[in-house]
Amino acid sequence: MKAKHQRLVLVVIAFAALIAAGLIFVWASRNQLSYFYYPEEMVSKPPEAGRAVRLGGMVQEGSIKTEPDGVTVTFVVTGKTADTVTVRYRGILPDLFVENSGVIAEGSLDENGVFVATNLLAKHDENYVPKELEGMGTQQAAKIAEETTVGLN
């Protein structure tokens, strides 16, 4: 076999190995990937029950209800339209979780169409100030932030 043919065989084997690695990656991560849904998308094209997805939207005012066990919370997530999704979460709520604020819930739909969240991420608005920096002037807060952060320049 000539050297030219040997190089060609090596290139073909390397290409086949690369494709196999890509297929293995896609197959292995198919259960790890989660799709993001807005409430209107979840109402119009709901994912199948039990499939891990993320739901993002605003917590509807007056919808947060704590169950008698004291740990389970039910609330409604709204989006840009009137569509809503009821979410049930069992666990400790994030500090920033309040009505009329943004939330991202990770979980899945159950058979009744209720989104069962396993993790909640609360979003804050652009006016958020950490408790440690409340009441400080802009320059003083910037100086403290500069002193306490490393490598964020």
Side-chain angles (χ1 to χ4, degrees), residues 58-67 73-78 84-87 97-100 103:
M58 303 295 286
V59 179
Q60 188 175 48
E61 186 173 346
S63 68
I64 299 175
K65 294 181 177 55
T66 304
E67 301 295 324
V73 176
T74 304
F75 58 95
V76 175
V77 175
T78 64
T84 61
V85 176
T86 301
V87 178
F97 180 81
V98 292
E99 296 174 344
N100 293 322
V103 66

Side-chain angles (χ1 to χ4, degrees), residues 36-49:
F36 185 86
Y37 284 83
Y38 290 107
E40 51 270 15
E41 294 170 330
M42 190 159 287
V43 169
S44 65
K45 293 177 71 176
E48 59 268 11

Side-chain angles (χ1 to χ4, degrees), residues 6-7 17 39 93 110 152:
Q6 288 177 344
R7 283 192 302 261
L93 293 172
D110 67 5
L152 296 177

Side-chain angles (χ1 to χ4, degrees), residues 93-130:
L93 293 172
D95 290 340
L96 299 175
F97 180 81
V98 292
E99 296 174 344
N100 293 322
S101 69
V103 66
I104 297 174
E106 297 175 340
S108 60
L109 281 176
D110 67 5
E111 299 81 26
N112 300 323
V114 175
F115 191 84
V116 179
T118 57
N119 189 22
L120 287 182
L121 304 171
K123 296 169 63 177
H124 60 78
D125 64 3
E126 65 277 359
N127 298 322
Y128 172 76
V129 177

